[in-house]
Amino acid sequence: SGGGGGGETTSETSADGDSATSTSTSDVPAPKTYTEDELFHMDEWRGDGPQVGERPNEYTGLSVLDLPNLRGEITVYLGGGEGGLYQEAMQRIQNLYRDFTVYIRPASSSQLANTIIEEANAGQSPADVFWAIDAGSVGVVAENGATVTLPDHVTQSVPDTYHPTDEWVGIMGRARSIPFNTNAFDADEIPNEVAAFPDDPRFEDEMGWAPTYGAFQAFITAMRELNGREATKQWLEAMQAHGVRKYGNEFQVANAVATGELSAGFSNHYYSRLVYEERPDAPLELAFTQNDAGALVNCSGAQVIKNSSNPETAANFIHHLLSIELQEFLGTRGFGYPLLSSVPPIGNLPTIDQLNPPELDLSTLANVQPTLELLREVGAL
Amino acid sequence: MSALDRLVAPFARARSRDSGLPTALVLLSGAIAAAVLSPIAWILLRVLEAEGGPSLLTHPSTFATSIALVAVVTGASVVLGVPLAFLTVRTDLPFRRFWTIAVALPLVIPSYLGAFTYISAFGPSGYIADLLAPLGVDSVPSVYGFGGVALVLTLYTFPYVFITTRASLLSFDESLVEAARTLGVSRIEAFRRVTLPQLVPGIASGALLVALYALSDFGTPNLLRLEVLTQAIWVEFNGFGRETAAMLSLQLLTITAVILALQSRVGDSTQGAYVGTRASTSDTTVALGRWKAPALAFCASVVTMCLVVPLGVLFVWFRRGSSAIGRTRLVFEWSYASNSVLVSVAAAVACALAAIPVAYLAARHRSTVAELIDRATYIGYAMPGIVLGLALVFFGVSYGAAVDDLSSVIGAASYLPTLYQTLPLLIFAYVVRFLPQSVGATRSSVMRVDRELTEAARLLGESPLGAFRRVALPLIAPGVFAGAALVFLTTMKELPATLLLQPTGFDTLVTYIWAVRESGSYGAAAIPAFVLIVVSALSMVVILSQEK
Amino acid sequence: MSRTTHNRTDASDASPAADDSDADDAAATGTVLDLSGLTKTYGPETAVDALSMSVADGEILALLGPSGCGKTTTLRMVAGLERADAGTITLDDRTLADPEGGVFVPPEEHDIGLVFQDFALFPHLSAAENVAFGIGDRPAAEREARVDELLDLVGLGDHADHHPEELSGGQKQRIALARSLAPEPDVLLLDEPLSNLDVALRVSMREEMRRIIDETGVTAIWVTHDQEEALSIADRVGVMNDGRLQQIGRPERIFERPSSRFVASFLGQAGFLTGRVDGDAVETDIGRLDATHFPGLDLPDGTTVDVLVRPDDLQARPAADGTTADGRLTQRQYQGPSFVYRVETTEGDSVRCMHNHTELFEVGQPVTVDVVADHPLQWFER
Amino acid sequence: MSRTTHNRTDASDASPAADDSDADDAAATGTVLDLSGLTKTYGPETAVDALSMSVADGEILALLGPSGCGKTTTLRMVAGLERADAGTITLDDRTLADPEGGVFVPPEEHDIGLVFQDFALFPHLSAAENVAFGIGDRPAAEREARVDELLDLVGLGDHADHHPEELSGGQKQRIALARSLAPEPDVLLLDEPLSNLDVALRVSMREEMRRIIDETGVTAIWVTHDQEEALSIADRVGVMNDGRLQQIGRPERIFERPSSRFVASFLGQAGFLTGRVDGDAVETDIGRLDATHFPGLDLPDGTTVDVLVRPDDLQARPAADGTTADGRLTQRQYQGPSFVYRVETTEGDSVRCMHNHTELFEVGQPVTVDVVADHPLQWFER
Ligand SMILES: Nc1ncnc2c1ncn2[C@@H]1O[C@H](COP(=O)(O)OP(=O)(O)OP(=O)(O)O)[C@@H](O)[C@H]1O
Ligand SMILES: Nc1ncnc2c1ncn2[C@@H]1O[C@H](COP(=O)(O)OP(=O)(O)OP(=O)(O)O)[C@@H](O)[C@H]1O
Ligand SMILES: [Mg+2]
Ligand SMILES: [Mg+2]
């Protein structure tokens, strides 16, 4: 049983193992609307941090109570994971069932994607599920033919933007943003398109970015897909000519904005949440651009790895991540955008509907090579 | 003597006392070298996959930056390490014992942690800037870029030079200095003309570790924003340009090969370490006199830079982060520490065992084969952890698949153990990465054992193995132990290969630090960082207590 | 230098002594150790050059020779520590080394002991542990007894617990000796084993060694620079020069019938008088030495020869007046019971005369020199 | 052991020689080097014990003594390599060491050369570079000339480029010697500088050394185990035992008038006959030795004494019949020009007799022994 087994074995594998028919598609009920009390101990899932704020009374989707039971063991490769939040979520799912165990391997998502590809090259990955912090990584794994198609009832929980193919499904969203120092600017002083920054003298020598960072590269990839290579190149060159400063990652960018080292920067939205965690009084706020690459909403994604010994359970497990309880858990304890639209994000963030992401197939974000070449060409790397 | 004769002479000489290479030893060492070299095969595999074939110099400026960084860090480490070794071994510096340990301790601090704390302390609006701001100082020199990276890397790697130089100084036959002084040569002259030439191999072996570390380190240049080869490799992997990454790795290995060749020239130019078997009876301590205060200040400032700054920052994080600790979901467990110690001890033992045949062969039978085998063990050390990790992922899984195939062919369950994501493969990865530290320390201690001693043992009826066990081993034990302890230290702080190859659910201090750092919970990182440093520091004390 | 030797006691033997096959000088009884054509080169330098000799059971063979002539290298090859480039080594009919035949027996299978020139004591072991090293397989009680016995033998019973670094040069040498004796090897190789000992100790040690060697029946090759040691202790003496064996034979024979100027000059304080054959006498600086000194001399008149004269063969007398003097006293050396005077002859030969310590001459004095030897004089054709 | 000495040539001197203050034996002209009360202990062991002596300008002082008696330690203190525990060292009126006064001059300021017992050659330098080490400040041409000269002196001109590991034991020693001579120090300390050399080389080297020392006027302390070396080369000889100086004086005096049994037994192959004083004669195992042998003996009758007899003082004769024999021959040693026979007397004394090599006796033979000494015999009160 080498690497070429393919994904057709799905039904056979489950047939011999589970006596219960609970994992069969027909048992999955349609989404519905629950009051808080109908859900499973919602108050225990929900976080209570200072940024949580008001929560809704009703949620639409599926409760873990209505999902098929999980049995057996699965291995999840966890890329990133918001400081243990994802791990705790999986821990909680495991705790819901007596006969279910989840083994987690955390590492950086691109590393794990590379690993899964190597594993698939060499034979068989031990992973059943890959849950990565960015869509690019799951996209690459899918492109390399290392995944199994997900059942519709799993993928249909989220808007199509967040599962451009059936090889993976988005779990939590992350929005590109412009963190700015409130001592330097007011919210309405920030341009609503990234194209405006290079021309604006207020930002000369005052901005930071992290070009080696995956999220930034995804942002440039998106720009390339949307505006074409030439325009992207010009923007990059203009920004550099404008004295943008390089950082190792986007937390450093957000932090630098908070400390006043920078006036503004490019980062994912949740890095500013992290800054608040450390320094609740940080003079830092977020702005969002409209309909351009700067407004990209990337997401963490999950997929079932080819040759998984238990693909049904794996898919069902992913479904659990998209249950109301888990989305509430992830959304209120972490800083990501729940992709189940009835579960709002925390803090004073706009809801996911209020964001104006560009029209873009998130899978294309995996096409980072040309981006790297471009970044190198303009000397940003 | 003609130039050619001069070139050939050392080899002719080396061969002259050699009564043939022992086949078994060569085979064993060769196998060890082949094993630690195997990850290169993966790099080649990936390079060949590259579209349009392999292209050599893809990032010329990055390549140049890497070389410059290696040169500067190595030079600076020698400049720091050698005088400190001399001060703590040969002079009447007050509190020598304390300084010895304090100066060696930076080795236990992972350089990425050092870089982190340096950013916090010296970065724009870091603690130092905050402290100085009220005094009207509005800009501190940037820690970012080449200077910062070189500084931080030097601070956390120079102890390699310090330790190897110390070892050479301690085992140096002082009667030679005595001889020089009775010839009317002052102490300083004698140091330059007699001691130094014979310390060169020791200094060079420490400098080699520094150079290769500087070449292969990723965390520091990443944090301090310097585009070096490892950084480029990491970027490529992130962008799934595995072929380009492999090509860059090949460039990095080319530099490694050049460094190894350079080092073996230096190490050989004085034909190995000459060290007497007899202890000096006389009091050879140099009185510092009025240089005492500057010497103390020098030691104190090095220790401040290396230890006080990062520990201070960790402490501040710990204080500030205590609120955030409750917030992080990753709860520190003591099993992480015990797991770290477990794999590190296992790696140390494995390296010690693998190093002995290689080092013995290299020290006793100076031949091209022996030298190649010895050098080969250094390659893995210069391989970025992520490259090594992926290579071993590939081989680990391939091996598993082969075992599966085999069992399906013979139609029975295979009894061959799986390797992938098991401790043995992880420990093998550590051996690949850290074997040279063991080999270096062991090799120089073997050189110190007079060949006639093992000859005497054999004439008294011992087999080569018996002579080794009863005479050589007791005499080289401190070297073997010191090498193992170095491996222990570096394994304790190793991250990239650990992340890729750890058995699922097997968390260690560094993987925990990585996880909480990933979440930005600096406060939570402080505790495991302290634990890591304390455990490593204890083992450092053990290493140094092995010195006589 | 002539290879022709004059045979003063045994007129029938005229063969060059370098490949001495005399029954008298060959290894006496059964040959234990046989070296044949042994050669070892270091780069361009030949340290040992086609050396052949055999050592008989229980005998002591002293190996003499100038510094750097290859003595240590020879011992190391016999011990199996150095691979010969050519030649064979046979011990008790067992081939130990034969490079052409691809035979090389490792040292531990030789049953040969070696006392290293620079001791090679194990620094991590005490004196007693060093001595016990080779007899680890014996029962503890026996081992201890043997170690005590050997330490007493070398006079270091009270240094048993000292480590090598705490021993003086001579003490180390004695421990090295005791260590090599402990396992009672068949063949014992000694590389200047007594060079760092004082005379008294050296004399008693060598008598002790002789006794031990006789008692244990061990065969020994003993490298020494001390001619007295060589002559007094050895059953046979081999003289090496420049990697080659010059002469081997019984001590008396080597001393009295050296095969070459080199061998002669190497034993005893040899002096040489340049002479010219004239009938059956020889004309020299100190006068005409008549036929009685040279029985059997039959060289053509006018042949130049070197006549070997040792200090005890000559006597100097103050020359009554300068004109009759044979030469001048150039040096006086006190040697305890005697003085040795060096005389520079008129034509520039340098000879020594030994005198009782009561006969005092002044340096610079013109002297006449007489031959007082009661034995024929050895000569070497130029 | 008696400290009373018999003075056979100079009846006026009856002082114990250990603190010999004789004009004859004290450092002759101006004292260059003065050691006073020098003491060095290693833990419980006293290596050098209150040693005092002075060395005169241009003289060679030979230091003799059994292994481990403290010779090396003494030299190391003089060279400044070891700190004395007590006592002072003065060179040319400059105090080099005085622990009580807190004075300790480092070795490089001593202008004292030292040839180490174990050579201590620089392993990273070639033979020539080793020799040139101490004269690095001279112009290159001069330096090279000097190195060539010294290498030729020690006979290693063709080994200039060899590294120490490629030299034989004796070659190393010669390089060590050349190296110490190169800078022409004021005082030269030689720790058994010739012990690994063959006789011929040793003799020529020591004559060469004597010449150099005389020419350059350097002062030397020469540790040796070779009594012939000590007696023949030294202006004065010091005999040490157990860290203490036993006797110091001119070679003849030490040899002929040893102050103790120890000193006597240390020079020459001393034998002792147990005797009982009977009037002005002494009764021994080999018969009654009459008054002519013991001028000035005035001990009470019956006092037991040891009579010093060296091999050349005695002659053995085969005893006509066993009953009149004085003892039996127990050993024969060939020594080149002579045989030395050991005789065990009836009462168990052991003495040696030297015979011409033409006089052959058999071991085991009963012999009578005669005193043939032409000088008075030395005795020591028990
Ligand atoms: N470092 C040391 N530690 C302890 N004892 C020592 C040390 N060095 C020398 N000794 C002891 O001091 C005594 C004198 O040693 P020293 O080397 O001076 O002897 P030596 O007269 O030179 O002897 P040899 O003729 O054998 O070289 C010896 O008993 C020796 O064991
Ligand atoms: N490793 C080596 N490399 C090169 N030449 C060597 C080596 N070892 C010995 N030789 C040379 O071989 C010759 C013989 O050396 P060996 O040690 O056998 O001499 P030896 O007779 O023992 O002299 P000594 O009496 O001085 O100890 C010497 O000329 C020496 O320089
Ligand atoms: Mg030798
Ligand atoms: Mg000594």
Side-chain angles (χ1 to χ4, degrees), chain B residues 1 13 17 175-176 178-187 193-194 197-198 271 274 278 281-283, chain D residues 76 79 81-82 106-108 112-114 116 118 120-124 133-134 163 165-166 179-180 183:
Chain B
M1 235 204 289
R13 197 146 43 219
R17 275 285 184 205
S175 73
L176 296 178
E178 292 178 345
R181 297 181 68 196
T182 62
L183 290 165
V185 160
S186 73
R187 207 183 266 278
R193 293 175 59 192
V194 176
Q198 292 175 72
Q271 300 162 54
Y274 290 105
R278 96 207 118 100
T281 56
S282 57
D283 180 12
Chain D
R76 288 178 58 83
L81 298 176
E82 208 84 53
E108 64 270 26
I112 285 181
L114 172 59
F116 287 78
D118 44 7
L121 294 183
F122 304 123
H124 60 301
F133 191 91
H163 274 70
E165 58 179 10
E166 303 167 312
R179 182 179 68 179
S180 70

Side-chain angles (χ1 to χ4, degrees), chain A residues 46-203:
Chain A
R46 183 177 294 148
D48 56 359
Q51 303 182 53
V52 171
E54 286 289 300
R55 300 305 293 166
N57 302 325
E58 280 184 356
Y59 296 88
T60 304
L62 270 174
S63 162
V64 290
L65 294 170
D66 293 324
L67 285 171
N69 288 344
L70 287 165
R71 294 186 58 125
E73 300 180 342
I74 61 167
T75 300
V76 177
Y77 280 16
L78 177 63
E82 297 196 17
L85 179 67
Y86 287 12
Q87 295 199 42
E88 196 183 334
M90 291 191 275
Q91 198 66 47
R92 285 193 174 222
I93 295 174
Q94 175 177 294
N95 292 345
L96 292 176
Y97 304 99
R98 210 184 319 128
D99 297 328
F100 177 67
T101 314
V102 54
Y103 295 106
I104 305 165
R105 284 185 71 79
S108 89
S109 60
S110 63
Q111 224 176 70
L112 284 173
N114 279 314
T115 303
I116 292 169
I117 295 167
E118 282 306 329
E119 288 168 343
N121 272 340
Q124 163 70 58
S125 171
D128 296 293
V129 169
F130 179 30
W131 182 9
I133 197 73
D134 64 309
S137 293
V138 283
V140 164
V141 172
E143 262 176 28
N144 276 268
T147 52
V148 175
T149 312
L150 289 168
D152 282 349
H153 61 261
V154 176
T155 54
Q156 74 196 8
S157 323
V158 302
D160 285 353
T161 331
Y162 305 111
H163 69 101
T165 77
D166 287 343
E167 303 292 319
W168 62 272
V169 63
I171 306 292
M172 294 296 286
R174 282 168 299 137
R176 294 298 300 167
S177 66
I178 311 293
F180 62 93
N181 190 300
T182 51
N183 298 332
F185 299 107
D186 288 336
D188 53 7
E189 290 172 335
I190 307 296
N192 59 10
E193 52 175 357
V194 285
F197 287 95
D199 304 327
D200 192 329
R202 291 174 304 157
F203 296 103

Side-chain angles (χ1 to χ4, degrees), chain B residues 118-142:
Chain B
Y118 260 73
I119 293 172
S120 297
F122 293 105
S125 58
Y127 302 132
I128 302 291
D130 285 354
L131 276 179
L132 295 180
L135 305 175
V137 181
D138 53 358
S139 80
V140 284
S142 170

Side-chain angles (χ1 to χ4, degrees), chain C residues 85-105:
Chain C
D85 294 322
T88 58
I89 302 172
T90 319
L91 177 67
D92 277 333
D93 299 326
R94 178 164 167 242
T95 304
L96 294 183
D98 177 6
E100 280 96 38
V103 179
F104 179 77
V105 176

Side-chain angles (χ1 to χ4, degrees), chain C residues 135-342:
Chain C
I135 51 172
D137 46 352
R138 305 203 186 165
E142 187 190 329
R143 193 168 62 226
E144 266 173 46
R146 175 100 182 119
V147 169
D148 288 348
E149 177 194 335
L150 283 162
L151 285 177
D152 285 344
L153 173 68
V154 297
L156 288 172
D158 52 345
H159 285 66
D161 295 330
H162 284 221
H163 274 65
E165 60 183 20
E166 301 167 325
L167 297 172
S168 77
Q171 289 165 342
K172 279 186 228 174
Q173 201 160 41
R174 285 181 277 162
I175 295 297
L177 202 56
R179 183 180 68 179
S180 70
L181 284 173
E184 299 170 29
D186 281 349
V187 174
L188 191 57
L189 309 174
L190 303 126
D191 201 350
E192 305 187 29
L194 309 177
S195 66
N196 284 56
L197 305 186
D198 58 90
V199 191
L201 195 56
R202 192 152 67 219
V203 170
S204 71
M205 280 298 293
R206 80 181 178 223
E207 284 172 8
E208 207 52 64
M209 290 293 298
R210 172 86 249 187
R211 185 182 62 70
I212 293 166
I213 288 172
D214 287 346
E215 270 175 19
T216 56
V218 56
T219 305
I221 303 182
W222 183 311
V223 169
T224 177
H225 281 317
D226 184 341
Q227 63 150 329
E228 189 189 307
E229 199 164 284
L231 293 175
S232 65
I233 204 169
D235 294 306
R236 286 192 304 146
V237 174
V239 179
M240 285 181 74
N241 190 26
D242 217 2
R244 299 176 147 277
L245 190 63
Q246 296 290 316
Q247 189 175 6
I248 185 168
R250 297 245 312 271
E252 307 85 284
R253 190 179 174 107
I254 302 282
F255 188 80
E256 288 159 21
R257 292 173 46 205
S259 65
S260 65
R261 241 189 98 125
F262 172 80
V263 174
S265 70
F266 204 75
L267 288 170
Q269 297 178 10
F272 295 95
L273 281 170
T274 311
R276 224 170 37 76
V277 176
D278 180 10
D280 50 5
V282 173
E283 201 66 61
T284 72
D285 276 4
I286 62 168
R288 186 181 170 85
L289 305 181
D290 65 25
T292 56
H293 291 301
F294 307 100
L297 177 78
D298 60 348
L299 286 175
D301 275 11
T303 315
T304 308
V305 292
D306 287 322
V307 179
L308 165 63
V309 280
R310 292 217 167 80
D312 59 327
D313 295 334
L314 301 179
Q315 287 268 277
R317 269 180 302 117
D321 63 304
T323 52
T324 64
D326 294 330
R328 301 159 46 77
L329 268 180
T330 55
Q331 199 189 42
R332 181 177 65 195
Q333 270 191 2
Y334 183 63
Q335 293 198 344
S338 53
F339 278 103
V340 171
Y341 292 98
R342 190 156 69 180

Side-chain angles (χ1 to χ4, degrees), chain A residues 244-305:
Chain A
V244 67
R245 288 193 237 162
K246 258 198 244 186
Y247 287 79
N249 61 44
E250 295 190 338
F251 173 71
Q252 292 173 19
V253 174
N255 213 32
V257 173
T259 60
E261 184 182 332
L262 298 173
S263 304
F266 299 98
S267 85
N268 273 347
H269 79 271
Y270 57 85
Y271 289 113
S272 52
R273 308 288 105 193
L274 283 175
V275 174
Y276 291 137
E277 284 293 300
E278 297 277 316
R279 310 170 54 179
D281 55 344
L284 174 70
E285 250 174 53
L286 291 186
F288 296 88
T289 60
Q290 309 283 323
N291 294 319
D292 65 0
L296 179 71
V297 178
N298 201 339
C299 63
S300 72
Q303 61 196 168
V304 177
I305 302 301

Side-chain angles (χ1 to χ4, degrees), chain B residues 57-58 73 96 135 145 157 205 218 267 290 299 307 335 349 397 410 420 520:
Chain B
L57 207 53
T58 48
V73 171
R96 281 200 286 174
L135 305 175
T157 56
S205 73
F218 159 72
R290 64 205 164 84
C299 292
L307 287 181
S335 68
V349 171
V397 176
I410 59 176
Y420 188 50

